[in-house]
Amino acid sequence: MVFAAVLHLCVLAWLASVLAADDYHLVIAPQSPVVQIGSNFTATCMIINTTEVTADDLYWKCSEIIPKEHYIKINSSALNVTVTIRSEKSEWLLCKCKTVSQYVALNEGKFIHGILLRKGYRPEKPKNLSCIAVHESEKISSNIRCQWEAVGNQTEAVPTSYTLFVRQIGSDKVYTASILGPVNSTTVDMNFFPYHMELEIWVVAQNELGKEESEHLIKLANCFVKTKPPSVTVISEAVFPTSLVMNWTSSIDKRYLEMIYEIRFCPLGSQTWLYVPLADTSRYIQSFRLQNLRPDTVYVTQVRCKYNNKNCGYWSDWSRNVTERTPEDLPKSKPDVWIITSAEGINKRQIEFICKDPEFSNGRIRRFNITIEKQKYRIKNGTWEIIPVNRSLTDGSSSKKQITPLKTILLDDEESVTVYVTAINSVGTSPQAKLIISRKTREPPAVEKMEVQSHNGQLLLSWKPPNRTVSEYVVEWSSDGERNWQRENGKANCTKIKGDLKRFVHYRISVYPIYGKLVGKPVHEQAYAEQGVPSQAPTVNLSGDPGCYTAKLEWDEIPLIKRHGFITNYTIYYRSGTETHGITVPPNTTSYTLTSLSRNTKYDIWIKASTIRGSVNGSNHSFTTLKYAPGEIEGIVVGVSLGFLFVVLMTMLLCFCKKDVIKDNFWPQIPNPGDSTIGNWSPDYPLKAEAPRENCLSGISVLNVDVCDAKCVFEEDKASLPLKKDKYLSEEHSSGIGGSSCMSSPRQSVSDSDEGGDMADTTASTIQYSSVVASSGYKGQNPSSLPQQSIFSRSESTQPLLDCEENHDTMVQEGSRQCFLRQPCFNHNAGNENATDSNDFNPLEMEQQEVLDFCPLEEDTEHTAPKDCQSDDWIPATVSSYMPQLGGYRPQ
Amino acid sequence: MNGHVKNMHFQQFMETAATLLSLLLLMTVDSTKTVAASKNPQCGNLLQQTLKISRIVHKESGDLIKTYKAAQGEMSELFCKVSVNDIPDPNISGLDPPARIASIYTHLQAFLPHFKRVYKQQTDLQLPGSPLLKELNTVRGRTENLASCINTFYQSLFPNLPIPEPAGGPTTLPPAQNVFQQKVYGCVVLKTYKDFMSNVSKELRNLKSKVCKKRTPRNAF
């Protein structure tokens, strides 16, 4: 301690003397220290070559200013600080001076001094040192590679280096190799490998804070050797079918290394090695006989070696696989005979006998011998039928036993047989296997409550044994074209299927109880070792044509091989536009009728098949619902036709029943003027001279024809105008009465009132018929009737003549469409009012107005709008409106 | 005359007795040494280790000669049998085991300079990395190991007997040689060494039964 303090002061003095030359005023000791993390570190700052400052003006700074309680003032020019090193990061420790004077302020650089604290950990003792020398070419490598476990931490600033020492005991030779941490292994080259020499090996961890040495490993050099595995050969000897002889040559000369060996072997395909006890092989041997092996079985063998020392040495790697087949021997167990039963006609069964090689066939089975005894007749065939087996050598070695079909027989349901089978290999014959097939009606009872569960890709079976004592059970499983079985003890009530079950494959599991040798009744179950998503969904199709609102769908079941599991349900999807509907149906369904569809709509349909593992969608199928259901159009047509017929009939019936009313409406009863109270008026000339020349115009006298008339009158009328004029001129007393009821139109009375200047003279309550009723007009209809005296009279009657005339408003409305037609006439007439005697009767006007009164029916059919009357084209319309009128009169 | 005869007889008797006593003493001493050695529990292990190394050296010396001859080109077998001065005798000298063990040790030490010289000569004659140089180096190193083992074995057997160094001080080497002489010299050295190692192996096998006897029931009393 004292020595350290003295040394510290000496260093400080030396530093002071060195730094004095540079005119620094502060100096720290020690310089460039390496400090151990977790320890206290003390540094001294000394003031030199100045009296400007004292130790009281100094302060220490590391990452931050160090509090004064860590300072120790040595004297007025030296200040100590003690800090605890915590972080791993290197940092500067600075001694600084307060600015106590102008000089200090101006020479700040001279009043600061710092040292870099390099931090690290003291090395710790390396652990678990181990070394190895590997076998290269034909000798052991002269390089010994050692590794160890580094203990403790190290920092980048203070790294730890490791030096490996290998000393050959008995000589002064020491080999070394160094490596910088954190690598913890290195190799020492010894020029040649020192067989049988004792080596002392250790590793030293060292850094600037100290060094530590590992435990010394003192062993023979041979203990560090790891050799190559030996080369092995295996020989089989025909006289020893249960043994194989192994020979090997050591990879290295015995003078260098005396080896011990370890042997392991297993039947080909087995996953478990069998080890020969080390006690039998832990010596220098070069051959070994494996015993108690199975005949005619391929065995895989391996050997490894190690330096013959119980306490040290490395085992070599295992030698490469060497396989050899043991010789054949007599079959030591019975062949496994079984049956496949299927119904064949009525009261008949087809039974196929199949057989697996004996479990201990001890060789390749060349043939089976079979004999069948029909118990009904108690006849034993006595002769053995030979079933040759054509099987390659590799088939026999496979773990899966081959199934050989032996014979197929037809058996009555009431018949029972016993079959005997033996297997023969190249050495001899196996014990005899026996099986009894009972009468079908007397089959022994089956097991009860059989259940199959899948678990981790395996099938677990359980059942309740029948009441009778069962000697053994046969558990059979079959899939598409494949069949296998296994036998279970008679006391078992559960088992696991030992066969290589495939995923997603449907299996039919059957359990047969065997009573002695008698085959009992089986129980069957369906199962999957592991279910998956179906590989294919059914294709849905329409059954027939779709309707307006319904469509019947049909699909086939998914083939068993593609189901991959039990179908839990089908979901039918149908989509129109963006709207999709789904309907779930049970798995046993293969058809479904979609309802609530829309007519004339295209639908996409598909079906989804689901198992517990997932679903798969089938392909789309599209169809379009009908716009009209079959017969719908016919129904509509028939309905409409019937309706129309009904209407026609009803109309006809109505017409028939109401013919009087119709007659009254369309052919009103013209009051007989003769019955009128109007005063008689005799014309100036006799009636005889006025025999009608034409039917249609009989009794009609045209009084005046003007421009308006030319326009208004139909062309035909125009043609007849001269005639009319003539008639008018010649028969100026004719008033244009043509037998028309319209001659008594109330409108005429309006015109009459207009033309009369003395309206005041007419009483409001009296309707004066301005029509001049020519009784001869009807005479024209009845030319054969006696000519009556033409009487022109003004009716003074207030009695309405016709219903239409009574319905004044209606007629006005109807007449409103004709007002424009009439207006020019009235205007014209008004214009000519002066020229014409106001008292004179204007027959033409009358005629026109009467004609108009016949128009409404025809105008309705023409649908002439009133405004049309205001157009310039109103004349043709007017003309057309007259046509029926004229035509209607023609027959008259 | 009778007195002279008696003296003569007595003298003869005394000589015979002295001889027998000497023999007896010698046998006693020898027996003591043997018993002393056999009491060392490490004897068997050390001897076994030494024997194993000697076998390796013997094998490797044989291999070395083959490699040497192959590396020298056409070379008559006879050249390896010629006599060369200053090469150690392959025979082990000494009458008793310590002497013979010491002889083995001194011979091994004596061969080392020769190996060194042969190695140096062959370095000039062979390419670097030649198997011969490697084997020479290995045999030389193995010889040192064997010598070390012999020394340890000797000292464990006879802790109070210092192991002698080669007689006549350091081994003298022959004068400068031409290439042919070098080849012959090397071959003679290796051949002699192989013969010597053959003798060593035999000697150690003999010693095994002599010096590292298992304790007899007598020792149990």
Side-chain angles (χ1 to χ4, degrees), chain A residues 139 168-171 173 191-198 220 253 255-256 258 307, chain B residues 49 52-53 55-56 59-60 63 134-135 137-138 141-142 144-146 148-149 152:
Chain A
K139 291 183 180 176
Q168 201 170 289
I169 294 176
S171 73
K173 291 178 184 175
N191 297 328
F192 61 92
F193 188 78
Y195 297 102
H196 305 298
M197 295 296 289
E198 210 164 30
L220 278 177
D253 193 286
R255 283 171 283 198
Y256 292 105
E258 191 172 326
Y307 171 57
Chain B
Q49 180 191 9
K52 285 178 179 176
I53 294 172
R55 285 174 183 159
I56 291 175
K59 174 191 179 294
E60 287 183 347
D63 297 339
K134 206 170 182 178
E135 285 184 31
N137 203 23
T138 300
R142 200 85 72 195
E144 288 172 351
N145 288 348
L146 180 60
S148 170
C149 284
T152 305

Side-chain angles (χ1 to χ4, degrees), chain A residues 46 107 114 161 288 323 340-341 392 451 463 490 577-578 594 884:
Chain A
M46 196 168 66
N107 297 280
S161 66
F288 190 83
T323 58
I340 303 173
T341 310
S392 67
E451 289 182 0
W463 61 85
T578 57
L594 293 175

Side-chain angles (χ1 to χ4, degrees), chain B residues 67-143:
Chain B
T67 309
Y68 184 88
K69 287 178 179 173
Q72 307 309 313
E74 286 293 325
M75 191 171 177
S76 172
E77 183 70 25
L78 295 173
F79 293 140
C80 297
K81 293 180 179 175
V82 297
S83 174
V84 178
N85 291 334
D86 301 325
I87 290 180
D89 185 5
N91 298 316
I92 298 165
S93 60
L95 296 174
D96 54 353
R100 296 186 74 80
I101 294 170
S103 173
I104 292 171
Y105 176 75
T106 52
H107 270 77
L108 289 172
Q109 292 291 343
F111 269 107
L112 286 175
H114 291 282
F115 277 122
K116 191 174 179 181
R117 189 173 190 199
V118 172
Y119 182 84
K120 191 178 177 184
Q121 289 172 348
Q122 291 299 319
T123 304
D124 298 334
L125 299 175
Q126 305 295 325
L127 291 171
S130 153
L132 174 61
L133 295 177
K134 206 170 182 178
E135 285 184 31
L136 274 171
N137 203 23
T138 300
V139 170
R140 191 182 69 177
R142 200 85 72 195
T143 303

Side-chain angles (χ1 to χ4, degrees), chain A residues 95 150 211 227 257 325 329 627 687 885:
Chain A
C95 176
K211 68 175 182 180
T227 64
L257 280 174
R325 181 186 291 272
D329 197 4
K627 192 171 184 180
L687 288 173
Q885 184 67 21

Side-chain angles (χ1 to χ4, degrees), chain A residues 746-768:
Chain A
R747 285 189 300 268
Q748 196 60 47
S749 65
V750 172
S751 66
D752 289 347
S753 66
D754 287 341
E755 69 184 26
D758 52 350
M759 275 186 67
D761 294 341
T762 60
T763 59
S765 60
T766 303
I767 300 171
Q768 292 183 348

Side-chain angles (χ1 to χ4, degrees), chain A residues 864-883:
Chain A
T864 306
K867 63 182 179 181
D868 293 340
C869 298
Q870 292 176 338
S871 69
D872 295 338
D873 300 333
W874 61 273
I875 295 169
T878 307
V879 170
S880 64
S881 67
Y882 280 89
M883 291 220 16

